[in-house]
Amino acid sequence: MTQAIYLYGSEVLRAKAEELDLNQKEEIQALIADLKDTLAKADGCGLAAPQIGISKRAVIVDGTGMVDVYDYLAGFKRVMINPVITWESEEQCSYSEGCLSIPGVYADVVRPSKITVKYYNEDFTEVEETFDKFAARMVQHELSHLDGVVFTDLVAPIRKKMISKKLQNISKGKVHPHYSAKIK
């Protein structure tokens, strides 16, 4: 079921998410279904459970809508339950990021170029996988949400000052995204 996306200023976006109990399969499957439906409706490339008001460690990433820019993302969809970054490269890169919880704001963020993540997939099978390029970017962005970090926390101080008014307006509800959203 499609859920409202919590916007910048919502407390749930600043909390460290709790691990999911893998024995609660039905609840996890329902959460994953809600994440998928909500992401499809919002037309994004990733969504974390805290963004729909649930402070649990689950994310989905879907790069298939970006194939025209990054052809290597063809078929790139992941469900990650209780993900943990086990390795990150020393090499870093900068990309412009945006976020469904911070509509209309984009800024360059420096992150590791490659990462390895251990997680459970939607079949509850443990996976360890290495990501690079924009796939690594999407995964890192969503995993940051699980630790209460939004991408604007990671931008250069001068850029943060430049976007501060937009962030204030979002936190006051002065934004109208094309998807259901709320602040709480």
Side-chain angles (χ1 to χ4, degrees):
M1 185 163 78
T2 303
Q3 302 294 324
I5 294 176
Y6 283 67
L7 298 178
Y8 184 88
S10 298
E11 289 180 24
V12 70
L13 296 178
R14 294 307 191 168
K16 185 170 173 75
E18 298 175 8
E19 279 199 5
L20 286 155
D21 179 350
L22 297 178
N23 294 315
Q24 305 292 320
K25 287 185 170 47
E26 287 181 21
E27 289 87 350
I28 293 171
Q29 289 167 336
L31 171 60
I32 298 303
D34 286 353
L35 286 168
K36 286 180 177 181
D37 291 347
T38 304
L39 183 63
K41 182 79 170 178
D43 195 31
C45 63
L47 195 64
Q51 291 180 272
I52 61 169
I54 300 169
S55 192
K56 297 290 183 178
R57 297 189 80 77
V59 303
I60 59 171
V61 289
D62 182 352
T64 59
M66 302 191 68
V67 173
D68 56 332
V69 179
Y70 306 111
D71 61 351
Y72 55 84
L73 292 176
F76 183 79
K77 290 183 180 185
R78 299 290 186 279
V79 170
M80 298 180 168
I81 302 163
N82 295 336
V84 175
I85 295 175
T86 59
W87 173 83
E88 51 187 44
S89 66
E90 288 183 24
E91 178 187 349
Q92 298 193 329
C93 62
S94 179
Y95 279 103
S96 180
E97 293 188 23
C99 182
L100 293 171
S101 291
I102 310 175
V105 176
Y106 301 90
D108 288 342
V109 177
V110 176
R111 296 187 190 263
S113 299
K114 293 182 181 182
I115 58 168
T116 300
V117 180
K118 187 183 287 189
Y119 64 94
Y120 291 90
N121 64 19
E122 62 189 314
D123 296 323
F124 300 96
T125 302
E126 190 174 47
V127 176
E128 189 163 27
E129 187 172 8
T130 298
F131 302 98
D132 65 356
K133 302 179 185 173
F134 201 75
R137 174 67 42 161
M138 289 188 301
V139 171
Q140 289 176 84
H141 177 105
E142 297 311 325
L143 297 190
S144 289
H145 279 297
L146 303 182
D147 293 325
V149 176
V150 294
F151 84 94
T152 54
D153 297 339
L154 306 174
V155 302
I158 187 70
R159 181 68 176 135
K160 188 157 189 171
K161 187 162 182 63
M162 292 169 63
I163 62 174
S164 64
K165 184 70 171 168
K166 286 183 179 182
L167 296 176
Q168 287 175 0
N169 285 338
I170 293 168
S171 69
K172 292 176 183 176
K174 295 180 181 179
V175 65
H176 304 288
H178 68 276
Y179 44 86
S180 176
K182 65 181 177 181
I183 299 170
K184 188 170 180 183

